[in-house]
Amino acid sequence: MFNEPARKIFSIIEVKNIGRSDGAEQQLFEYAYHAGVSLAILTDGRDWSFFLPGEQGIKYGEKRVCKLDLVQGDVNDSARRLERYLLHSAVVSGQAIACARDDYESASRAKQIEDALPRVWRQMIDDEDGQLLEIIAARVETLCGFRPESASVANFIKASGAGRLGQASQARQALPTTSLSPTLASFPQLATDAIHSPKKHTNSASDTHSPFPGMIGFTFEGTFHRGRSAVDVLEQVYELLIHRDPEFCEKLSQADRGHRRRLVAEERAALYIASPNLIHNSKKLSNSWWMSTNYARWSMYQIIVLACEVANLRYNDDIVAYLGDSRS
């Protein structure tokens, strides 16, 4: 079909059986180069990969604009992307190619930032950056009333999981957050108080701000688990810890005892004793316990820190949470 001079090819789509699209990029690129198209698409019906074959790069992945998972991915984003690149009027007018190039450049910039962040963080730690030490020292003082020496803060950072970042390939799974999680992990009682008394803390929005705006999910032992919302992340962490230890909820309930709003309870009505009108803000876990969900993202962050403490895990080492952009 490539020898028909009257037919203009704007883009090319290679379709594979479900689960058979991996490794098919070479054939797709051969077709694209032969046809002289700027946009090449590979799909098995579920996964859709959009490529710009003319962009620089040795590996096929370096030429990918985006990859969509129509089953597990965000529905609205998938619909927007498919319409953006495949709408007939956009394709024949050249707008689809222009949009793909814009998105490719944006993704490229984001990747460069992503690669640079852990290097900058590592350098700040090695150099014992004064501003970083000042911020952490001030927040520790806000929490417990005592201000640590700069040397103590520097030693803590270097000894913690946040001080061992280095490989750019691990950036998305292990980037440090600007929250108070390392400090609170060292003071579990303060973490519990912070959950139930968020008004004691100022600038809570920045405390939950993720290094990647909009990222929602968590990593466990280096594997990233995507979340639909901050509540979904909290629920997934609970379920993971329940799977590791069937008595986790009982232990978390004991650690949380003494507060009128409970994190988990065997009976739904016990979650919001002081505010029964909030009872609908709850979810049932797989072990039949109930979890409360009426928390700000900052508080959910601290709940996960406390959950790690109860489960004998180390936040920033074993689990890292990303609860999305707190400004959204």
Side-chain angles (χ1 to χ4, degrees):
M1 66 178 181
F2 301 132
N3 295 323
E4 300 179 15
R7 176 179 297 178
K8 183 173 182 179
I9 303 175
F10 297 93
S11 59
I12 189 168
I13 302 178
E14 175 73 7
V15 181
K16 297 294 184 181
N17 291 329
I18 294 179
R20 301 296 296 274
S21 61
D22 289 342
E25 291 87 354
Q26 181 176 350
Q27 185 179 47
L28 172 69
F29 274 62
E30 290 176 354
Y31 289 156
Y33 290 137
H34 186 71
V37 298
S38 300
L39 180 62
I41 305 156
L42 177 63
T43 181
D44 64 359
R46 168 175 173 161
D47 294 330
W48 289 72
S49 290
F50 297 84
F51 298 90
L52 293 174
E55 294 297 329
Q56 294 182 350
I58 299 176
K59 299 179 180 179
Y60 298 124
E62 296 174 347
K63 302 172 184 285
R64 181 187 285 123
V65 178
C66 70
K67 183 174 182 179
L68 306 178
D69 184 336
L70 301 189
V71 176
Q72 297 292 333
D74 182 87
V75 174
N76 293 327
D77 180 63
S78 295
R80 181 182 64 84
R81 296 269 192 173
L82 290 174
E83 187 174 276
R84 187 172 172 82
Y85 306 141
L86 297 181
L87 190 66
H88 181 267
S89 59
V91 172
V92 298
S93 68
Q95 182 181 359
I97 298 296
C99 290
R101 287 188 176 131
D102 287 343
D103 293 345
Y104 177 84
E105 291 176 1
S106 296
S108 178
R109 288 193 296 269
K111 181 62 168 62
Q112 292 180 54
I113 293 173
E114 178 181 327
D115 290 343
L117 278 169
R119 295 199 299 269
V120 172
W121 178 250
R122 177 72 264 174
Q123 184 178 3
M124 291 177 68
I125 292 174
D126 290 342
D127 295 344
E128 297 186 8
D129 182 271
Q131 289 184 331
L132 176 64
L133 301 182
E134 174 66 22
I135 290 172
I136 295 177
R139 292 189 175 184
V140 171
E141 184 178 22
T142 299
L143 284 173
C144 64
F146 302 98
R147 190 179 188 85
E149 297 291 336
S150 295
S152 298
V153 177
N155 291 335
F156 171 76
I157 294 176
K158 290 180 178 180
S160 71
R164 293 197 291 271
L165 299 174
Q167 299 296 326
S169 61
Q170 298 175 343
R172 185 169 294 275
Q173 296 180 352
L175 273 173
T177 67
T178 57
S179 73
L180 301 178
S181 52
T183 301
L184 288 173
S186 302
F187 304 102
Q189 184 56 49
L190 290 176
T192 305
D193 293 341
I195 294 167
H196 297 281
S197 305
K199 292 182 179 179
K200 294 181 180 179
H201 308 282
T202 60
N203 198 24
S204 60
S206 63
D207 291 339
T208 59
H209 191 59
S210 168
F212 294 104
M215 175 187 284
I216 298 179
F218 71 99
T219 59
F220 176 64
E221 296 181 344
T223 300
F224 182 73
H225 301 265
R226 182 183 300 168
R228 297 185 300 272
S229 64
V231 171
D232 182 55
V233 172
L234 180 60
E235 182 181 6
Q236 286 190 55
V237 170
Y238 279 166
E239 293 290 1
L240 184 149
L241 299 181
I242 290 169
H243 179 74
R244 293 181 73 254
D245 179 5
E247 297 181 356
F248 165 74
C249 284
E250 175 65 28
K251 294 176 181 177
L252 181 62
S253 178
Q254 290 294 331
D256 185 47
R257 195 168 298 281
H259 295 280
R260 302 183 71 182
R261 176 182 297 188
R262 309 303 306 280
L263 299 180
V264 294
E266 289 188 272
E267 300 295 333
R268 189 182 188 187
L271 292 175
Y272 299 99
I273 296 176
S275 305
N277 59 303
L278 298 177
I279 192 65
H280 62 281
N281 294 301
S282 58
K283 299 193 72 173
K284 193 173 186 179
L285 297 167
S286 60
N287 62 353
S288 296
W289 278 63
W290 289 86
M291 60 175 284
S292 54
T293 62
N294 189 44
Y295 295 98
R297 294 185 187 185
W298 187 89
S299 293
M300 289 185 192
Y301 214 110
Q302 313 314 319
I303 293 171
I304 294 174
V305 171
L306 179 61
C308 288
E309 189 76 22
V310 169
N312 292 319
L313 296 174
R314 293 190 60 182
Y315 190 84
N316 274 342
D317 280 350
D318 301 304
I319 290 180
V320 180
Y322 302 97
L323 304 184
D325 191 333
S326 62
R327 294 168 177 79
S328 61

